[in-house]
Amino acid sequence: MRGLFITFEGTEGSGKSTQIRILARRLTRLGHAVVITREPGGTRFGEQIRKILLSVRNHGLDPRAELFLYLASRTQHLEEVILPALKKGKVVLCDRFSDATLAYQGFGRRLEMKIVRNAVDYAAKGISPDLTLLLDLDVRVGLARVRERGRSNRLDREKHEFHERVRRGYLRLARMNRKRIRIVKASRDPAAVARDIQTIVDRRLKDARP
Ligand code: TMP
């Protein structure tokens, strides 16, 4: 039996964590075994790497060093958490995965896309999510939400133009993977966003049923 691998993506402040919580509650009520996890992080090693990556004190981090740290976190996470859960037939809800690396390090940092793509595939062993929910939001609105929370990290503090490139990058990835990546308008209130997500996931679960 194989589970279902669902990832959430989006620029800063797009409401991923809220939506993951809402979806997890609902799927659990329906009787699914659900695992909530995140990147960077999700394992003991990964959470240590996350601290390095997100600390505002590490503003001098080289973009290639940054790429490898995200991938190191992913490799450990895949082996330790994601694959074992999927093998047990669980639904894995993951806050960011490979698309984030393509969007942030590829489109955002402008590292050579072919190299980033190969490295991403190597780290993820060619595994791609069954479904990706891209919470799309105006960059300014998202960053204002982050500022309101008062917890901005190293990436949040990047220039506006960087975040715009990431957003456009995500939308391009969605156009290139129409079946897997579904765009959800994240500017509306959380309940409306959750309803859209519910419809998409229900359809996907129906398709996955033998
Ligand atoms: P978040 O958990 O609050 O979304 O923060 C993670 C940050 O790391 C966010 O700014 C996106 C960024 N990121 C990358 O740049 N590359 C990646 O591969 C991943 C997973 C996240």
Side-chain angles (χ1 to χ4, degrees):
M1 166 126 176
R2 196 189 170 293
L4 194 67
F5 183 24
I6 302 178
T7 58
F8 284 72
E9 300 283 358
T11 45
E12 319 305 328
S14 55
K16 294 178 283 98
S17 346
T18 306
Q19 293 303 326
I20 288 176
R21 270 200 306 276
I22 296 174
L23 180 62
R25 260 204 308 274
R26 181 161 176 280
L27 291 177
T28 306
R29 263 204 315 274
L30 291 174
H32 295 278
V34 178
V35 172
I36 296 181
T37 190
R38 68 170 177 186
E39 287 199 8
T43 64
R44 200 169 62 82
F45 291 127
E47 290 297 329
Q48 291 177 64
I49 295 173
R50 181 181 177 91
K51 284 207 182 84
I52 299 173
L53 279 165
L54 299 190
S55 165
V56 291
R57 282 157 60 198
N58 293 335
H59 48 78
L61 196 61
D62 180 88
R64 280 176 301 148
E66 180 184 273
L67 168 71
F68 293 130
L69 286 171
Y70 278 112
L71 297 182
S73 168
R74 177 156 316 133
T75 305
Q76 193 68 26
H77 187 218
L78 188 75
E79 297 296 340
E80 222 179 277
V81 177
I82 299 174
L83 290 177
L86 291 176
K87 272 191 198 123
K88 287 185 191 141
K90 297 184 181 179
V91 178
V92 176
L93 303 183
C94 188
D95 191 335
R96 301 194 187 278
F97 194 65
S98 296
D99 296 307
T101 316
L102 297 170
Y104 281 81
Q105 281 64 54
F107 290 101
R109 296 278 185 236
R110 294 181 162 138
L111 291 178
E112 199 180 319
M113 198 45 106
K114 212 170 110 190
I115 292 175
V116 176
R117 200 173 279 283
N118 283 339
V120 160
D121 283 346
Y122 183 60
K125 288 171 134 180
I127 290 164
S128 114
D130 297 301
L131 173 66
T132 296
L133 298 154
L134 171 56
L135 272 54
D136 182 56
L137 180 67
D138 183 286
V139 162
R140 283 182 212 281
V141 175
L143 287 171
R145 283 184 186 172
V146 171
R147 271 196 297 276
E148 239 167 68
R149 291 203 294 252
R151 274 184 284 129
S152 66
N153 63 36
R154 190 177 59 86
L155 278 290
D156 300 331
R157 294 186 182 192
E158 282 297 329
K159 290 192 300 283
H160 176 78
E161 194 38 47
F162 172 83
H163 294 288
E164 286 291 352
R165 283 201 299 277
V166 173
R167 183 185 185 195
R168 283 196 301 270
Y170 267 132
L171 291 172
R172 219 159 123 189
L173 292 171
R175 280 197 297 276
M176 281 155 42
N177 300 273
R178 282 181 199 276
K179 271 186 86 172
R180 174 176 63 85
I181 305 180
R182 304 295 306 272
I183 302 170
V184 179
K185 283 203 176 68
S187 52
R188 298 157 309 150
D189 74 282
V193 177
R195 275 196 298 278
D196 275 11
I197 291 178
Q198 190 174 314
T199 308
I200 296 168
V201 171
D202 283 353
R203 203 169 301 146
R204 190 64 192 74
L205 283 168
K206 224 166 94 196
D207 291 347
R209 228 170 273 149

